Amino acid sequence: MAEPEFDIFTLPNGIRCIHRRPGAAAGRVAHIALTVGAGTRDEKADQHGVAHLVEHLLFKGTERRSAYRVNSLLENSGGELNAFTTKEETVIHAALLRSELAKGVDLLSDMAFHSRFDARELDKEREVIIDEINSYKDSPAELIFDEFEELLFAGSPLGRNILGTPRNLKRATRDQLVDYVEGHYRPDRVVFSASAQLSHRRFREVCERYLGALSVPAGRREASRRTPPERQARFDVVKHRNTYQTHCVIGGYGYDLQEGKRMLLAFLINLLGGPFAGSRLNMQLRERYGLTYNVEGGYVPYGDSGVYTIYLGCDRDNLDRSVALVRRELQRLREEKLTTVQLARAKRQFMGQLLLSSENTENLMLGIAKSILVYNTFDSTAEIAAKIGAITADELQEAANEIFTEANQYSLIYK
């Protein structure tokens, strides 16, 4: 009997593992990722920037490997090693040859749990990140999202930008990094995911060998410090910057990861400003009136909150009209239900987009790992399709009236 596509299991130390065995056409390439349920919002008040700084130092040597060995172990065989930090997770991931799988699992485990955090490397990386922070000042289209969330989640660790501040980074110590890792890089907060053409039995053997013995002293385990952010009074902030183009974000609070309506909001945001020419805002602001080159919607759910955003960049003279059109489209979704034809077309587009995205094996496995981290399970493509198919126009209008109220339309403008 053929093996099922997925195998999910938990090691005795609490690390959850998922293996996808793709079809034979997958060939000799494997994708692996180690996802830790700790990010920027888990930092202590004096640790702002430490989560991302830790990510950088993971590549700078372990107890068994020099920085050169860490970075070249997979790359010498054509593989790719990378990592990223979010507000609630840190992820180390790699694309590698299937024959190098055991070596890759060993490496990711070594990086996450046995990094040295050498003081000399710390001094170098803090300067690298400060340069990264300064580079954002030349990218207002990216910086504006960080500043918007800082305002929306003011007073909450959720509002901290991921990179930290130059002041905090200059004061960061090795002890802070070690304290953060030992407190949060716990086996019960780790999901290891892989897509590789090998048997589930063999994958379990590899995980048991390289991940099964990991543990953290009980005295260093820290309970989650996450507390829901307080809702801010509506703001419309304008900041004057020396930029050729005017940048604007309109947005507000969205459903959190535990809210069953989060797919409805994702659907609405895609309909409004998804990455396709037929999105409502693109059709209005760009195609019909030629007011802006770029307009896009976004939605990020967090553990206990969420944020939706609509971004546009335009000439200063077109700003007021562009903002008015965005607010009009939000009002339309509150007041007018989608017709049967509109709903069917939007469902086809949304589902097709998800299917195309799932063809990217790395993104697929990262998404599944996040789902297991949060829900301890994940939806199959068929289950997702069924949920999308069951969406009704009444449900969408109800969600629009909950989220897109005028009181929940905050704005930040660079001009």
Side-chain angles (χ1 to χ4, degrees):
M1 179 182 294
E3 286 189 327
E5 182 179 5
F6 292 96
D7 181 34
I8 306 176
F9 57 95
T10 303
L11 295 172
N13 60 8
I15 292 180
R16 286 164 285 178
C17 303
I18 177 165
H19 175 226
R20 173 180 179 252
R21 185 175 187 180
R28 297 188 295 170
V29 177
H31 296 272
I32 60 175
L34 191 148
T35 300
V36 184
T40 306
R41 74 175 304 186
D42 297 293
E43 300 164 338
K44 295 176 183 176
D46 64 346
Q47 290 180 329
H48 184 197
V50 163
H52 180 247
L53 186 55
V54 163
E55 177 215 312
H56 275 238
L57 269 292
L58 296 180
F59 292 80
K60 299 304 176 179
T62 71
E63 295 169 10
R64 294 192 289 126
R65 294 179 171 95
S66 66
Y68 174 79
R69 286 291 294 163
V70 167
N71 288 281
S72 65
L73 188 65
L74 301 180
E75 292 182 355
N76 283 348
S77 301
E80 297 177 357
L81 177 66
N82 213 332
F84 61 87
T85 305
T86 73
K87 294 191 175 183
E88 297 188 329
E89 296 91 34
T90 304
V91 180
I92 316 169
H93 58 104
L96 65 163
L97 296 177
R98 182 184 60 192
S99 58
E100 303 276 285
L101 180 73
K103 189 185 295 184
V105 178
D106 182 27
L107 176 62
L108 266 60
S109 171
D110 198 26
M111 292 170 65
F113 296 99
H114 300 292
S115 282
R116 288 200 310 263
F117 302 114
D118 181 84
R120 290 171 299 179
E121 297 291 350
L122 171 58
D123 287 338
K124 287 191 290 187
E125 288 308 307
R126 76 170 93 238
E127 293 303 321
V128 169
I129 296 174
I130 289 172
D131 284 344
E132 187 178 354
I133 291 170
N134 289 331
S135 74
Y136 267 73
K137 297 175 182 178
D138 296 325
S139 303
E142 297 180 45
L143 180 64
I144 195 169
F145 288 97
D146 284 341
E147 289 208 34
F148 182 79
E149 288 202 22
E150 285 176 7
L151 292 168
L152 193 69
F153 298 121
S156 167
L158 197 57
R160 296 175 184 155
N161 72 73
I162 292 166
L163 298 182
T165 65
R167 183 168 180 263
N168 268 37
L169 289 168
K170 289 176 180 177
R171 297 187 303 180
T173 66
R174 182 183 185 278
D175 287 344
Q176 285 181 319
L177 272 63
V178 172
D179 178 65
Y180 179 85
V181 169
E182 290 188 348
H184 296 291
Y185 279 45
R186 299 166 18 181
D188 60 328
R189 288 189 187 175
V190 172
V191 174
F192 185 79
S193 58
S195 177
Q197 183 54 255
L198 77 163
S199 70
H200 293 323
R201 179 187 60 79
R202 174 56 182 154
F203 179 75
R204 288 193 179 217
E205 290 173 352
V206 172
C207 289
E208 288 165 1
R209 178 176 179 182
Y210 295 109
L211 298 169
L214 297 171
S215 63
V216 174
R220 299 309 301 267
R221 296 183 177 223
E222 297 186 13
S224 173
R225 289 185 296 273
R226 298 177 181 179
T227 55
E230 294 184 6
R231 196 180 186 102
Q232 303 298 307
R234 177 177 156 172
F235 56 78
D236 294 289
V237 175
V238 177
K239 294 194 173 186
H240 296 278
R241 295 181 178 272
N242 186 24
T243 59
Y244 173 77
Q245 192 177 46
T246 296
H247 302 267
C248 173
V249 168
I250 297 171
Y253 299 97
Y255 297 128
D256 63 39
L257 284 167
Q258 305 304 323
E259 173 55 66
K261 297 178 184 179
R262 63 188 181 279
M263 182 175 284
L264 298 176
L265 181 52
F267 190 98
L268 288 169
I269 289 295
N270 188 67
L271 178 66
L272 270 172
F276 65 106
S279 70
R280 287 192 171 190
L281 292 175
N282 190 70
M283 292 298 293
Q284 287 290 314
L285 274 70
R286 180 175 179 177
E287 300 301 327
R288 184 173 182 180
Y289 295 110
L291 297 174
T292 178
Y293 175 73
N294 184 32
V295 57
E296 59 187 41
Y299 164 48
V300 180
Y302 296 115
D304 48 20
S305 189
V307 55
Y308 83 89
T309 55
I310 297 165
Y311 164 82
L312 62 93
C314 64
D315 185 86
R316 186 172 301 179
D317 293 339
N318 293 332
L319 176 64
D320 290 344
R321 191 176 184 195
S322 297
V323 169
L325 286 171
V326 169
R327 296 193 190 280
R328 189 179 76 178
E329 288 302 321
L330 293 172
Q331 181 179 358
R332 279 186 61 202
L333 286 173
R334 299 197 309 269
E335 296 178 352
E336 302 174 15
K337 284 193 292 188
L338 296 185
T339 67
T340 302
V341 172
Q342 288 172 332
L343 180 59
R345 184 190 306 122
K347 285 182 179 181
R348 276 198 311 274
Q349 197 283 327
F350 191 50
M351 189 63 215
Q353 195 171 296
L354 290 175
L355 287 173
L356 289 172
S357 176
S358 70
E359 289 297 305
N360 183 314
T361 303
E362 183 175 61
N363 288 345
L364 173 66
M365 297 311 296
L366 290 175
I368 289 174
K370 171 69 178 285
S371 183
I372 291 175
L373 186 68
V374 175
Y375 310 112
N376 213 32
T377 186
F378 73 97
D379 288 334
S380 67
T381 301
E383 289 169 329
I384 293 173
K387 288 182 178 181
I388 293 173
I391 290 174
T392 68
D394 287 332
E395 289 175 327
L396 291 171
Q397 187 178 33
E398 179 184 347
N401 275 287
E402 289 179 353
I403 300 299
F404 298 146
T405 62
E406 291 185 4
N408 194 33
Q409 292 180 32
Y410 302 72
S411 69
L412 173 61
I413 295 169
Y414 289 170
K415 63 187 297 187

